[in-house]
């Protein structure tokens, strides 16, 4: 089995390398990035080729391709990979809302990745954990309006911003210790990425950013609820890893906390934190449960009158459950994974 990764040198690419070794330990690997280079990963050294080499007439084919590139490069290479015989899972935004391309969350709608499917879109790193929490509630109680406020780790912006955050944090503390000044006075808010800011890229006429539109539009497609009343506000926060989402949920049918907890705890790939305080449910706690959505802090909305309005929190490692793990689980529908945690229960039992 030949597997290729486009974007192998990025943060998600690195997680894909780790997971592929767990899922398909004997697979032949072909790694691609912007240019020829050598990649050190997990004690191994890999040769990485320029992705442009795939456009040569003699480019080799393969079985499974993971694409972790920006939109314009996904649009350039995904068709070529399909032409070379690969089944392709693309992490970018390029194909997510394309009606011809399934947008798949393993554990929610993985039946949409069939044996005939050649290209699957991997949802945004906030949408995957949110829909893993919402699907068991949809199935049992129906969904009314959903409101989400997200707090997204800096690693979601990629390796360079994460490195700058770490470097400037160390530099800031060092300068504070030597200068004896308040750290905040030393930092230019415009420069220092360790701030809480709106995730406001590509804001359109609606006033909502592309990140907020992704949560809304992708959730509707994945849950197959095109009229779902959902709204979101997204922030970037100074945390290296772990996206955190506060969610206000209106159910169609009222329920009590025990029924809702049971539904949430039964959802695939969910680690449920019982208790309204959600003890231990933090952004960084996701690094200890990288392949699960952490769900908890369930409590009745103070405005509820009939058991339909609830609040809860969802958190997930944005590079793993929010990206690489979901992609590998989708692929395990076609190529069964050696590690059961990276499989899809319903298909694996078949
Ligand atoms: C972010 N979801 O967190 C976007 C892309 N990973 O910035």
């Amino acid at each position: 089995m030949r597997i290729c990764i486009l974007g192998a040198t990025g943060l998600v690419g690195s997680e894909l390398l780790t997971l592929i070794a767990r899922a398909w330990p004997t697979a032949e690997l072909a790694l691609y990035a912007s240019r020829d280079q050598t990649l050190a990963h997990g004690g191994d050294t890999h040769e990485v080729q320029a992705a442009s080499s795939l456009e040569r007439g003699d480019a080799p084919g393969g079985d499974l391709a993971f694409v972790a590139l920006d939109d314009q490069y996904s649009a350039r290479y995904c068709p070529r990979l399909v032409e070379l015989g690969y089944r392709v899972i693309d992490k970018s935004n390029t194909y997510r809302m394309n009606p011809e391309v399934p947008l798949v969350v393993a554990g929610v709608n993985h039946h949409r990745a069939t044996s005939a499917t050649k290209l699957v879109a991997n949802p945004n790193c906030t949408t995957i954990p949110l829909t893993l929490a919402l699907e068991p509630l949809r199935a049992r109680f129906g969904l009314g309006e959903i409101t989400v406020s997200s707090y997204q780790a800096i690693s979601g912006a990629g390796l360079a911003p994460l490195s700058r955050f770490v470097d400037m944090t160390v530099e800031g503390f060092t300068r504070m210790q030597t200068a004896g000044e308040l750290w905040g006075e030393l930092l230019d808010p415009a420069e220092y990425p360790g701030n809480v800011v709106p995730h406001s890229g590509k804001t359109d006429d609606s006033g909502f950013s592309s990140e907020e539109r992704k949560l809304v539009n992708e959730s509707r497609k994945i849950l197959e609820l095109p009229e779902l009343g959902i709204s979101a506000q997204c922030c970037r926060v100074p945390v290296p890893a772990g996206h955190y989402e506060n969610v206000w949920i209106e159910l169609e049918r009222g329920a009590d906390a025990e029924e809702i907890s049971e539904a949430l705890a039964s959802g695939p790939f969910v680690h449920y934190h019982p208790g309204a305080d959600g003890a231990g449910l933090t952004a960084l706690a996701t690094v200890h449960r990288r392949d699960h959505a952490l769900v908890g802090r369930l409590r009745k909305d103070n405005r509820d009158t009939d058991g339909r309005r609830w609040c809860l929190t969802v958190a997930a490692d944005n590079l793993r459950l929010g990206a690489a793990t979901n992609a590998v689980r989708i692929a395990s529908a076609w190529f069964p994974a050696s590690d059961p945690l990276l499989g899809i229960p319903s298909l694996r039992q078949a």
Side-chain angles (χ1 to χ4, degrees), residues 45-178:
T45 302
H46 300 273
E47 292 309 314
V48 180
Q49 303 171 69
S52 56
S53 65
L54 285 165
E55 294 171 319
R56 287 200 314 250
D58 62 348
D63 303 289
L64 178 59
F66 294 98
V67 180
L69 298 172
D70 292 342
D71 295 0
Q72 70 271 27
Y73 297 111
S74 286
R76 174 175 172 184
Y77 292 115
C78 285
R80 177 60 174 153
L81 290 164
V82 171
E83 195 178 88
L84 289 170
Y86 286 97
R87 290 182 188 271
V88 182
I89 300 173
D90 175 45
K91 182 186 83 68
S92 81
N93 198 35
T94 309
Y95 298 100
R96 288 176 180 165
M97 300 315 294
N98 181 326
E100 303 301 314
V101 178
L103 178 64
V104 176
V105 174
V108 177
N109 67 334
H110 51 265
H111 59 284
R112 292 297 176 200
T114 69
S115 56
T117 308
K118 298 298 183 193
L119 173 61
V120 173
N122 203 37
N124 198 33
C125 39
T126 49
T127 311
I128 294 169
L130 176 68
T131 50
L132 278 169
L134 291 179
E135 173 55 16
L137 302 182
R138 180 206 63 75
R140 286 170 176 79
F141 314 111
L143 292 179
E145 300 222 333
I146 308 293
T147 305
V148 187
S149 181
S150 77
Y151 312 86
Q152 298 173 224
I154 283 180
S155 53
L159 185 57
L162 177 62
S163 305
R164 203 155 66 81
F165 167 63
V166 172
D167 293 348
M168 292 181 79
T169 299
V170 171
E171 178 198 334
F173 274 119
T174 306
R175 285 164 57 194
M176 178 182 73
Q177 284 165 336
T178 49

Side-chain angles (χ1 to χ4, degrees), residues 212-299:
E212 291 156 348
R213 298 197 301 274
K214 288 173 190 174
L215 253 179
V216 170
N217 297 329
E218 292 176 18
S219 298
R220 286 172 172 160
K221 180 172 178 181
I222 292 158
L223 296 169
E224 300 181 8
L225 295 172
E227 304 306 319
L228 178 66
I230 177 171
S231 182
Q233 294 203 62
C234 300
C235 289
R236 177 76 72 207
V237 295
V239 165
H243 284 1
Y244 189 95
E245 302 173 42
N246 282 327
V247 190
W248 290 260
I249 295 171
E250 180 193 56
L251 305 174
E252 279 186 339
R253 295 178 294 282
D256 61 32
E258 188 178 346
E259 292 170 308
I260 298 173
S261 298
E262 192 275 327
L264 291 169
S266 68
F269 311 133
V270 166
H271 177 73
Y272 182 65
H273 288 247
D277 64 356
L281 178 47
T282 68
L284 283 179
T286 63
V287 299
H288 302 300
R289 287 244 182 213
R290 303 192 67 192
D291 302 317
H292 287 79
L294 310 189
V295 180
R297 281 225 70 201
L298 178 71
R299 66 259 193 235

